């Protein structure tokens, strides 16, 4: 009787195991189909619902990791792919996907280590080429963490047929006076002049107190336009900006202040000051969302009636398609 009971229990266990394997096989096939159809979010939800029962099975965890990564859950992908590698250390597919997950999370050192490990294995040329692209992108990221300074100097020379942006007519009609014609003074009509322009600037972007996720950026610019024969229309623009950039996971927050002075004909024409707040979100490796708000004041010395306050806001999205001729 004891032997029969043992045999019966063994048969039930084997039957349950077979049923579980069949269910897992069907689940994996369905998830593969969804991923191939670029329905990764549906695949992720399908697999995650069976997490308690199948987690720890390499085939299940590999698909879960891929689906999680492609649907915007890189941290979940890391957990699943690390379970695969714990049981199958030589699984190059899982290691490549883990490297990609680290890349998406901004874990640059870990991503480089995993990509390099995969590249040392015997992988198809297409995979190796993709890895090289990721490694190049990582090098660009590492370079961006260093302090950067830029300087430019520019010069132009030319001829302007209407240096004062005025009319070429010698008379003008005044509607309020019954369209009576008045003769314009020569200073109110268009004048031409040759000119040259000079510009120079300095920009910088540097980590704040050695922190890679917090940076100070800014710059100054000076631009001067000199007219050869009409000195009254000589102009100069000087501006400066300084700001702080903070990166958190896939988000970047930027705040900056700026100032500008515009001189015209040797006198101050206007002065401007303001600030900008900006948010950038990298939804994935190819899609970025953004929003900004800017406030500025413009003041015209001696012409206060022209003073204005300006408020501007906006949102944007950028997506790079994965195809030739992006």
């Amino acid at each position: 009787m004891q032997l029969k009971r043992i045999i019966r229990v063994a048969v039930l266990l084997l039957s349950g195991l077979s049923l579980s394997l069949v269910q897992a096989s069907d689940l994996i096939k369905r998830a593969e189909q969804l991923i191939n159809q670029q329905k990764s979010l549906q695949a992720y939800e399908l697999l995650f619902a069976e997490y308690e029962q199948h987690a720890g099975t390499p085939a299940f965890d590999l698909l879960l990791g891929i689906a999680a990564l492609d649907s915007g859950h890189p941290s979940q992908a890391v957990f699943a792919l690390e379970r695969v590698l714990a049981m199958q250390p030589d699984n190059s597919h899982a290691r490549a996907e883990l490297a990609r997950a680290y890349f998406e999370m901004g874990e640059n050192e870990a991503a480089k280590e995993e990509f390099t490990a995969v590249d040392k294995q015997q992988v198809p040329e297409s995979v190796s080429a993709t890895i090289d692209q990721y490694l190049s992108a990582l090098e660009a990221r590492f370079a961006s963490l260093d302090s950067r300074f830029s300087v430019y100097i520019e010069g132009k020379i030319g001829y302007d047929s209407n240096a004062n942006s005025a009319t070429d007519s010698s008379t003008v009609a005044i509607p309020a006076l019954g369209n009576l014609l008045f003769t314009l003074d020569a200073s109110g009509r268009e004048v031409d002049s040759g000119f040259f322009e000079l510009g120079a600037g300095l920009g910088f972007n540097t980590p704040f107190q050695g922190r890679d996720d917090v940076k100070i950026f800014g710059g100054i610019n000076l631009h001067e336009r000199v007219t050869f024969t009409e000195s009254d229309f000589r102009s100069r623009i000087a501006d400066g900006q300084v700001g702080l950039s903070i990166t958190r996971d896939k988000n970047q927050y930027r705040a900056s202040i700026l100032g500008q002075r515009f001189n015209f004909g040797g006198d101050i024409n206007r002065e401007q000051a303001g600030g900008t707040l900006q948010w950038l979100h990298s939804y994935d490796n190819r899609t970025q969302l953004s929003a900004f708000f800017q406030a500025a004041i413009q003041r015209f010395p001696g012409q206060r009636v022209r003073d204005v306050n300006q408020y501007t806001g906006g949102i944007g999205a950028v997506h790079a398609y994965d195809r030739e001729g992006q």
Side-chain angles (χ1 to χ4, degrees):
M1 294 296 292
Q2 187 68 23
L3 180 59
K4 288 182 179 181
R5 186 178 295 111
I6 293 174
I7 293 174
R8 187 180 299 117
V9 171
V11 169
L12 290 173
L13 288 174
L14 289 173
S15 298
L17 179 60
S18 298
L19 180 60
S20 178
L21 290 174
V22 170
Q23 290 175 340
S25 178
D26 291 340
L27 179 66
I28 288 171
K29 287 181 181 179
R30 177 58 180 156
E32 284 180 336
Q33 290 175 352
L34 289 172
I35 292 173
N36 291 334
Q37 294 170 4
Q38 297 184 345
K39 298 179 180 179
S40 297
L41 180 57
Q42 294 182 29
Y44 173 71
E45 293 173 346
L46 175 69
L47 293 168
F48 196 76
E50 302 294 332
Y51 176 85
E52 295 291 340
Q53 185 174 354
H54 299 292
T57 304
F60 173 87
D61 284 333
L62 177 59
L63 288 179
L64 177 61
I66 295 172
L69 181 56
D70 290 345
S71 60
H73 300 84
S75 59
Q76 292 293 338
V78 168
F79 293 138
L81 295 166
E82 285 182 340
R83 289 196 300 270
V84 177
L85 293 172
M87 299 184 67
Q88 299 176 349
D90 296 328
N91 191 322
S92 59
H93 189 181
R95 194 168 295 281
E97 295 294 342
L98 179 62
R100 193 162 66 93
Y102 282 138
F103 182 89
E104 294 291 343
M105 294 173 64
E107 300 288 344
N108 299 324
E109 290 289 353
K112 181 178 180 180
E113 181 179 345
E114 297 297 343
F115 275 128
T116 303
V118 176
D119 206 27
K120 291 179 179 179
Q121 301 179 18
Q122 294 182 349
V123 295
E125 290 186 6
S126 59
V127 175
S128 181
T130 301
I131 290 174
D132 288 342
Q133 292 178 5
Y134 273 106
L135 289 173
S136 296
L138 285 168
E139 290 302 322
R141 285 186 179 182
F142 289 131
S144 69
L145 299 178
D146 299 330
S147 297
R148 291 185 296 167
F149 296 88
S150 60
V151 178
Y152 76 89
I153 300 175
E154 64 180 12
K156 301 178 183 178
I157 188 168
Y159 170 79
D160 192 340
S161 63
N162 192 352
N164 58 340
S165 300
T167 179
D168 63 351
S169 299
S170 59
T171 60
V172 61
I174 307 298
L177 299 178
N179 287 323
L180 289 177
L181 294 177
F182 291 85
T183 300
L184 291 174
D185 185 82
S187 62
R189 300 197 298 269
E190 75 171 19
V191 294
D192 61 334
S193 176
F195 69 89
F196 71 86
E197 296 182 8
L198 291 175
L202 167 68
F204 68 91
N205 190 333
T206 183
F208 179 68
Q209 294 186 342
R211 294 182 56 178
D212 294 337
D213 59 337
V214 182
K215 295 183 180 180
I216 299 176
F217 64 91
I220 55 175
N221 300 276
L222 180 64
H223 185 274
E224 181 126 7
R225 176 184 171 109
V226 178
T227 47
F228 294 148
T229 59
E230 302 292 337
S231 60
D232 288 342
F233 303 108
R234 177 172 179 167
S235 64
R236 175 186 300 161
I237 299 177
D239 62 62
Q241 179 187 32
V242 64
L244 188 69
S245 171
I246 300 175
T247 302
R248 291 288 185 272
D249 296 326
K250 293 187 175 184
N251 299 293
Q252 185 181 76
Y253 308 92
R254 295 167 65 90
S256 62
I257 56 175
L258 58 89
Q260 184 185 85
R261 171 176 284 186
F262 175 57
N263 284 32
F264 190 76
D267 299 319
I268 299 175
N269 178 269
R270 71 170 183 268
E271 296 176 315
Q272 180 174 333
T276 300
L277 297 174
Q278 186 178 30
W279 167 69
L280 300 169
H281 174 72
S282 298
Y283 181 77
D284 54 36
N285 195 36
R286 296 183 174 275
T287 306
Q288 186 180 74
L289 308 176
S290 64
F292 76 93
F293 174 77
Q294 184 180 67
I297 59 173
Q298 289 190 32
R299 297 294 181 261
F300 295 82
Q303 304 178 61
R304 296 302 182 185
V305 69
R306 299 179 62 190
D307 291 353
V308 296
N309 298 334
Q310 183 179 35
Y311 306 95
T312 309
I315 58 175
V318 177
H319 178 74
Y321 289 94
D322 187 14
R323 62 186 63 185
E324 185 177 357
Q326 294 178 8

